[in-house]
Amino acid sequence: MNEYIIETQDLNFSYSKLTHDIENLNLQVPRGSIYGFLGPNGSGKTTTIRLLLGLLKKKSGTVTLFGNSLKNNRLESLSKIAALIENPSLYNHLSGFDNLRIAARYRKVNQNRIEEVLEIVNLTYAKFKKVKKYSLGMKQRLGLAISLLSEPEILILDEPTNGLDPKGIIEMRSLIKSLNKEFGTTIFISSHLLSEIEKTCSHVGIIREGKMLFQNTVDAFRESQNENMIIEVETSNSELLNRTISPFFDKTKIIDDSFVNVTLNSKEEIPVLIDTIRKEEIAIYQVTIKNNLEELFLSLTEQ
Ligand SMILES: Nc1ncnc2c1ncn2[C@@H]1O[C@H](COP(=O)(O)OP(=O)(O)O)[C@@H](O)[C@H]1O
Ligand SMILES: [Mg+2]
């Protein structure tokens, strides 16, 4: 069996002739993982999800689901996937239970399953309440319950915690984890918040401007945050500064009269670098972390 339950190869997509919205994307989602698809707003997360579901027509590349090409097996594959892309469309004047009853009938799912999914999403207590009286978090969970009616093997959630209050976020997070643990559901979840992904996911793919910048386990991602940092130092005399630090640091480079770049192995080397420079009493005007990923992390930690 294929190791990856969702895989894309060199996926390309453009909304128009002038744009390149998804560029050579190679997505590899291991079976049984909680995969966090992380990127700033407008980076191409929703577009990618639509491509995975065949809702948009790709320009080139392949999408493989359950080891089969989406092109040849679309209906069969999609019957094993549930996706929550936008806010779920619900009948507000009906109860949660009635919403599920309608969805179950429409999907030809046994009505017994309704009680099961209500239990899973923790809404049994409010099943006869009208949906218009539900909080946003409860509506999201009801949407999830509807998706779960068909017992999907893959659950795709597009920014499921957007707009939820802190309590709703915690509930959604624990729900995602328990679905994965108890039923082995592979969960693909998009977010623009690094903290969200770190708390929930086993794997992470980082996308920016339609391109994948990093993809690995969350543990490997944490380690990589500390590796190979490029530090830019602004000083009064870059020649002198370079001469002073080059015996102690492997990779140093003079950029111009004022700037020197140094590659460090970890954050812990930053104070060592500064002490080395200060010992020679060379002025430091500015120290900046230059890595692309570092800059990206900052944009991902903003709310
Ligand atoms: N229907 C559309 N028509 C044209 N451009 C779109 C459309 N939807 C999204 N885009 C553009 O595609 C890029 C990726 O958008 P999207 O996939 O929605 O990003 P994300 O979900 O990561 O916020 C953005 O530049 C966005 O403006
Ligand atoms: Mg989106």
Side-chain angles (χ1 to χ4, degrees), residues 147-209:
S147 319
L148 294 175
L149 281 170
S150 56
E151 300 184 59
E153 289 180 42
I154 300 176
L155 185 60
I156 297 180
L157 302 170
D158 193 12
E159 310 233 18
T161 55
N162 263 10
L164 297 188
D165 59 16
K167 182 166 163 267
I169 292 177
I170 291 168
E171 279 170 351
M172 185 56 82
R173 211 182 275 150
S174 73
L175 186 52
I176 289 167
K177 284 189 189 161
S178 77
L179 277 172
N180 174 260
K181 199 166 165 217
E182 282 177 38
F183 306 102
T185 315
T186 303
I187 302 181
F188 182 92
I189 168 174
S190 80
S191 176
H192 64 282
L193 291 175
L194 174 62
S195 59
E196 193 56 45
I197 297 294
E198 279 192 310
K199 286 197 186 87
T200 322
C201 301
S202 59
H203 290 71
V204 61
I206 302 177
I207 183 175
R208 181 162 66 171
E209 291 170 7

Side-chain angles (χ1 to χ4, degrees), residues 15 21 39-48 158-159 207:
Y15 281 105
D21 296 290
N41 287 329
S43 55
K45 302 182 295 294
T46 303
T47 303
T48 303
D158 193 12
E159 310 233 18
I207 183 175

Side-chain angles (χ1 to χ4, degrees), residues 130-301:
K130 289 206 167 133
V131 169
K132 65 178 167 211
K133 300 240 168 88
Y134 278 18
S135 68
L136 186 64
M138 291 163 82
K139 285 185 190 171
Q140 282 291 72
R141 269 149 50 216
L142 181 60
L144 192 54
I146 292 174
S147 319
L148 294 175
L149 281 170
S150 56
E151 300 184 59
E153 289 180 42
I154 300 176
L155 185 60
I156 297 180
L157 302 170
D158 193 12
E159 310 233 18
T161 55
N162 263 10
L164 297 188
D165 59 16
K167 182 166 163 267
I169 292 177
I170 291 168
E171 279 170 351
M172 185 56 82
R173 211 182 275 150
S174 73
L175 186 52
I176 289 167
K177 284 189 189 161
S178 77
L179 277 172
N180 174 260
K181 199 166 165 217
E182 282 177 38
F183 306 102
T185 315
T186 303
I187 302 181
F188 182 92
I189 168 174
S190 80
S191 176
H192 64 282
L193 291 175
L194 174 62
S195 59
E196 193 56 45
I197 297 294
E198 279 192 310
K199 286 197 186 87
T200 322
C201 301
S202 59
H203 290 71
V204 61
I206 302 177
I207 183 175
R208 181 162 66 171
E209 291 170 7
K211 292 188 274 285
M212 187 77 90
L213 298 184
F214 180 94
Q215 182 172 236
N216 209 324
T217 61
V218 166
D219 289 342
F221 168 73
R222 284 207 189 97
E223 278 165 32
S224 78
Q225 274 179 291
N226 275 330
E227 281 171 6
N228 285 331
M229 306 178 91
I230 298 170
I231 307 291
E232 183 186 76
V233 186
E234 185 183 358
T235 173
S236 53
N237 185 338
S238 60
E239 287 274 351
L240 176 61
L241 186 133
N242 190 56
R243 226 178 306 132
T244 307
I245 61 174
S246 56
F248 306 102
F249 297 91
D250 295 342
K251 272 201 221 155
T252 68
K253 189 177 166 198
I254 297 172
I255 304 298
D256 59 25
D257 285 349
S258 317
F259 288 95
V260 177
N261 278 5
V262 194
T263 306
L264 303 182
N265 296 317
S266 73
K267 238 189 203 141
E268 283 64 42
E269 288 186 7
I270 298 178
V272 182
L273 172 70
I274 294 175
D275 288 348
T276 311
I277 302 170
R278 295 299 298 147
K279 240 180 243 156
E280 292 300 316
E281 297 187 354
I282 304 168
I284 308 171
Y285 298 132
Q286 198 175 186
V287 177
T288 324
I289 300 170
K290 286 298 285 178
N291 292 39
N292 285 338
L293 278 178
E294 276 300 323
E295 182 200 315
L296 177 72
F297 295 152
L298 284 179
S299 72
L300 294 170
T301 43

